[in-house]
Amino acid sequence: MTGLSVSLHLATRELWRNRGRFLLFSMVIALITVLVLFIAALAEGLADANRQYLSKLDAQLMVLGDRADGILTASRIGRSRMAAVERVEGVAAAGAIGFSTANVIDPLPKTGSPLRVSLVGVEPGKPGEPPAIQGRGLSTIQAGEVVLDRAVLNQLQIAVGDTLTIQTTQGTQDQTYTLRVVGVSDNQAYLFQPTLFVPMFTWDRIRPKGEGESAASELTVGAIAVRIEDATQAEAVRARLLDSVSRVEVQTVKETYENLPGYSAQQSTLTTQSVFTLLIGVLVIGGFFQIQILQKVPQIGVLKAIGAANSTVGTAAVIQIVLVTAIGVALGSALTLLLSLGMPASVPVAFTGVGVATAIAALLLIGPIGGSVSVRYAIQIEPLRALGL
Amino acid sequence: MYALETRNVTKTYTLEGQPINAVKEVSLAVKPGEFIALVGPSGSGKTTLLAILAALLAPSSGEVMIAGRDLAKLSEGQRVAFRREQIGFTFQANNLVPYLNALENVELMLRLNGKLDKAGRERAKEILTRLGLGNRLHNLPGQMSGGQQQRVAIARALIHNPAVVLADEPTASLDTERAFQVVETFSGLIHEQGRAGIMVTHDLRMVNFTDRVVMMRDGVIAATYETRAEIEALATRGHADEHTAPAPRPQPVGAFNLAAAAV
């Protein structure tokens, strides 16, 4: 205990008496912290903007067309397959989902340009329809209704009960359709765009189509979302679906959004950036403390010569590294919080508890990892150095 | 009963396959309350001997007894504990911990020994005040002169009541007047507190404050001066390097890496 109290005394006295230098270094760690936290938030924000709708689905499995290769945007599947899917043992409910895009031309957002949105067709009351947090859900009998993503509502400055006009291309002509807002869903972006949810038959009528496509006999959707009775039986139900329904692929919702074009590549790029930033942090912290120790060699020699144990000197060095790193990470976290408050809504950063906690834990670890070389060096300094030998 | 006693202490290094004796067959005994000077030209082995007496370096052969304990029988951990309990140390340079003030530097020895209490704090203040540093207690080393720093180091070397106090060139960076003041103070406290004191110095003028002078040359004790008359005569000779006649040496001892060779 004596050794620890001496270490604490030496470490804190040195920090306090050289607080300018150490604070400056803590600021360097703070900037590294800001960088790491923002990269983590950007990764989360970008991932979220891609998968927001899919990750909130009340479903566990997605049935795709067999030539999709697991890629939702490439999947085409006949809506009639929904009945076959629903008959499979273990399936609680299934809902077809159609994906396309549209422009909202009235009202216009503040930018004055039409708002580009994801136009998603869902089966009212079936998996795929988002819960309405305001107003009501879509009706099975009423056409021309729309449930809006909250982000769209805010950007267009409209409310439940209002109407909006969208424009899509039908063959070679641009067509406009007026829809009535009946409900608002939580943020449900899909592929970076805010989303309008419409009943499947409305979707099929208003979605962009190529020439001659409108004559197709069967309604073709993107995928069928499947809610199963027992979530632990996902693998068994998946196998049964593959057996019972011909020419389909089945994957989990997580696999579905991970297979979205660019999703994994984007995430791994950002993860690599985070890792490299942390590595740079290790080198910077390691370099700083190594220089510190090199400057203190005679002084450490004297401490050891007068009877300070190696453990006392080593612990003092570790305490300093941990404190300087912790102060830097705390300052950086506070700075990140301030910066995030002033960040425009268009920048896709999302600070989640797990993401921030993981980044902070990693940042707190890089101090001891970076400083370990200097601690080892401090322990190895011979007390004879005090006598110049 | 001696506070410190060495018998036939030898420290041998190997340089390019050749054994070199940095210290050879040195026998020395110092009583409590006795202050001796270890003098000699550069490379005569006095600092190596000091390192052996401080339990920083193990001798190749011979015996070192301090406060009744045989240093050869101590483990590495015990040697560290022995140094902080039984040895007081002042050094030529980098003596004080630069981020601790004068009082904290002195208290450090008590802190290391787990004996820093209210009485210890008072004693630290008292000794610093006695050394004329009562108004410098909270000054950092960088805010004090070289002489003041050496006096703080002396206080630190004595505060924990060690059996032996060792001083390595305590006046090397001081002007003449301050050098005399520091050694006189040091000598006074060693005699008063009954410690065994050993001072390594180049400056023969300082030996006037000691009870005995041991002259080393080429690792061996070349001469011992014990009477007042002998010591005073030596003190008038000035600097050890200038006035002693070093015998020709085949190898420069200063080139050895003692740290690497330490056992």
Side-chain angles (χ1 to χ4, degrees):
Chain A
M1 277 310 286
T2 300
L4 184 63
S5 84
V6 175
S7 301
L8 197 61
H9 174 74
L10 292 173
T12 51
R13 280 289 181 280
E14 186 175 15
L15 283 182
W16 181 245
R17 301 250 154 89
N18 296 300
R19 52 192 177 275
R21 189 199 316 165
F22 282 107
L23 189 64
L24 201 65
F25 187 61
S26 283
M27 285 308 296
V28 173
I29 297 174
L31 292 177
I32 292 171
T33 304
V34 170
L35 201 58
V36 170
L37 287 178
F38 263 97
I39 292 173
L42 193 64
E44 183 59 31
L46 288 171
D48 195 50
N50 261 316
R51 68 168 188 230
Q52 215 171 47
Y53 166 61
L54 293 175
S55 64
K56 289 177 185 170
L57 276 180
D58 180 22
Q60 291 79 33
L61 296 174
M62 296 288 277
V63 177
L64 275 60
D66 67 341
R67 290 182 190 165
D69 219 10
I71 299 167
L72 182 61
T73 47
S75 170
R76 297 283 178 275
I77 184 168
R79 181 174 176 263
S80 60
R81 295 299 205 35
M82 205 166 75
V85 169
E86 274 182 323
R87 279 198 298 274
V88 171
E89 187 193 339
V91 172
I97 309 174
F99 300 95
S100 58
T101 57
N103 287 331
V104 178
I105 56 167
D106 183 38
L108 289 172
K110 279 180 187 165
T111 57
S113 309
L115 179 69
R116 198 160 177 78
V117 294
S118 285
L119 184 66
V120 177
V122 295
E123 307 279 355
K126 300 274 178 106
E129 186 195 14
I133 57 168
Q134 198 185 324
R136 62 170 172 81
L138 297 168
S139 160
T140 47
I141 48 170
Q142 294 285 328
E145 286 186 350
V146 64
V147 167
L148 286 183
D149 192 349
R150 192 165 56 185
V152 185
L153 197 80
N154 293 337
Q155 286 182 64
L156 298 179
Q157 304 277 304
I158 53 173
V160 173
D162 293 347
T163 57
L164 58 81
T165 305
I166 65 164
Q167 184 183 55
T168 58
T169 305
Q170 303 293 328
T172 55
Q173 301 288 312
D174 282 342
Q175 292 284 335
T176 59
Y177 303 94
T178 299
L179 302 166
R180 194 161 62 82
V181 180
V182 296
V184 180
S185 68
D186 192 9
N187 285 342
Q188 300 271 359
Y190 170 67
L191 291 182
F192 272 98
Q193 289 169 342
T195 312
L196 301 188
F197 295 96
V198 291
M200 189 53 79
F201 285 103
T202 305
W203 176 78
D204 189 44
R205 185 165 57 86
I206 66 179
R207 71 183 168 94
K209 293 184 208 64
E211 280 184 273
E213 197 185 336
S214 54
S217 56
E218 190 193 11
L219 200 165
T220 306
V221 299
I224 297 168
V226 178
R227 184 165 69 238
I228 57 180
E229 285 164 355
D230 180 358
T232 60
Q233 296 298 310
E235 271 310 306
V237 177
R238 177 189 201 149
R240 282 200 286 273
L241 279 167
L242 288 170
D243 277 350
S244 317
V245 187
S246 60
R247 290 184 292 110
V248 293
E249 289 174 3
V250 183
Q251 59 191 15
T252 63
V253 170
K254 186 166 182 279
E255 287 165 345
T256 307
Y257 61 69
E258 282 175 352
N259 285 341
L260 284 175
Y263 181 91
S264 297
Q266 189 183 66
Q267 288 303 296
S268 60
T269 302
L270 288 163
T271 305
T272 307
Q273 280 182 18
S274 281
V275 169
F276 270 97
T277 311
L278 287 171
L279 279 177
I280 290 167
V282 169
L283 290 176
V284 170
I285 293 172
F288 175 81
F289 282 104
Q290 186 65 19
I291 291 167
Q292 281 271 109
I293 292 289
L294 285 173
Q295 286 176 338
K296 293 197 301 187
V297 168
Q299 190 195 113
I300 291 170
V302 166
L303 274 173
K304 290 188 179 183
I306 65 173
N310 280 339
S311 58
T312 304
V313 172
T315 308
V318 170
I319 290 171
Q320 273 188 357
I321 292 165
V322 169
L323 283 178
V324 169
T325 309
I327 291 168
V329 171
L331 285 173
S333 303
L335 196 60
T336 307
L337 179 68
L338 285 177
L339 287 171
S340 68
L341 294 176
M343 195 62 65
S346 55
V347 180
V349 288
F351 293 94
T352 62
V354 176
V356 170
T358 310
I360 286 178
L363 284 159
L364 287 175
L365 273 178
I366 63 169
I369 292 171
S372 60
V373 176
S374 60
V375 173
R376 192 162 169 266
Y377 190 85
I379 288 170
Q380 286 175 339
I381 292 171
E382 287 283 344
L384 279 171
R385 299 297 285 263
L387 293 170
L389 292 176
Chain B
M1 178 70 180
Y2 294 110
L4 177 155
E5 194 176 2
T6 70
R7 291 191 203 108
N8 302 322
V9 165
T10 297
K11 183 69 188 177
T12 308
Y13 298 102
T14 304
L15 186 69
E16 291 170 2
Q18 297 293 314
I20 305 289
N21 291 322
V23 173
K24 189 180 175 188
E25 302 281 325
V26 169
S27 296
L28 189 69
V30 188
K31 288 180 286 193
E34 190 182 13
F35 187 30
I36 74 162
L38 213 52
V39 299
S42 296
S44 60
K46 52 191 191 302
T47 303
T48 303
L49 182 59
L50 195 75
I52 292 170
L53 298 179
L56 291 172
L57 204 57
S60 306
S61 63
E63 204 173 66
V64 181
M65 302 284 293
I66 293 178
R69 297 183 73 178
D70 183 353
L71 297 194
K73 291 183 177 157
L74 301 180
S75 66
E76 188 51 43
Q78 287 171 325
R79 288 156 76 94
V80 174
F82 182 81
R83 282 203 296 272
R84 66 173 168 257
E85 288 162 9
Q86 298 296 344
I87 309 280
F89 230 141
T90 75
F91 304 93
Q92 186 176 343
N94 303 300
N95 232 323
L96 304 177
V97 181
Y99 47 83
L100 298 182
N101 65 32
L103 186 60
E104 289 165 343
N105 260 292
V106 176
E107 287 174 350
L108 181 61
M109 281 317 299
L110 298 174
R111 211 178 264 280
L112 282 169
N113 282 303
K115 288 179 181 164
L116 181 60
D117 51 15
K118 205 177 166 196
R121 284 203 170 92
E122 285 306 316
R123 215 166 66 247
K125 278 184 198 166
E126 203 178 291
I127 192 167
L128 281 169
T129 307
R130 234 189 107 184
L131 288 168
L133 297 167
N135 58 346
R136 298 277 182 179
L137 297 179
H138 301 290
N139 280 33
L140 292 171
Q143 298 165 327
M144 291 187 281
S145 69
Q148 287 169 332
Q149 289 185 36
Q150 275 299 357
R151 278 185 275 161
V152 175
I154 289 169
R156 187 185 65 191
L158 292 165
I159 188 72
H160 56 301
N161 300 328
V164 175
V165 180
L166 305 173
D168 180 31
E169 305 276 7
T171 60
S173 55
L174 304 180
D175 60 48
T176 308
E177 193 185 339
R178 284 182 209 286
F180 277 116
Q181 280 174 2
V182 164
V183 178
E184 186 178 12
T185 308
F186 199 26
S187 170
L189 284 166
I190 282 171
H191 288 123
E192 184 187 311
Q193 297 189 0
R195 315 280 165 228
I198 297 177
M199 171 176 68
V200 165
T201 184
H202 270 91
D203 192 346
L204 292 178
R205 294 170 305 173
M206 298 302 140
V207 302
N208 253 334
F209 298 101
T210 63
D211 306 309
R212 185 159 39 118
V213 180
V214 174
M215 174 82 72
M216 289 191 71
R217 189 180 298 141
D218 293 335
V220 299
I221 294 178
T224 304
Y225 305 83
E226 294 191 20
T227 66
R228 224 46 259 163
E230 283 174 340
I231 292 171
E232 279 169 17
L234 187 66
T236 57
R237 285 165 60 180
H239 206 271
D241 275 338
E242 294 165 26
H243 298 284
T244 52
R249 276 170 287 133
Q251 297 291 344
V253 177
F256 303 161
N257 184 351
L258 297 188
V263 179

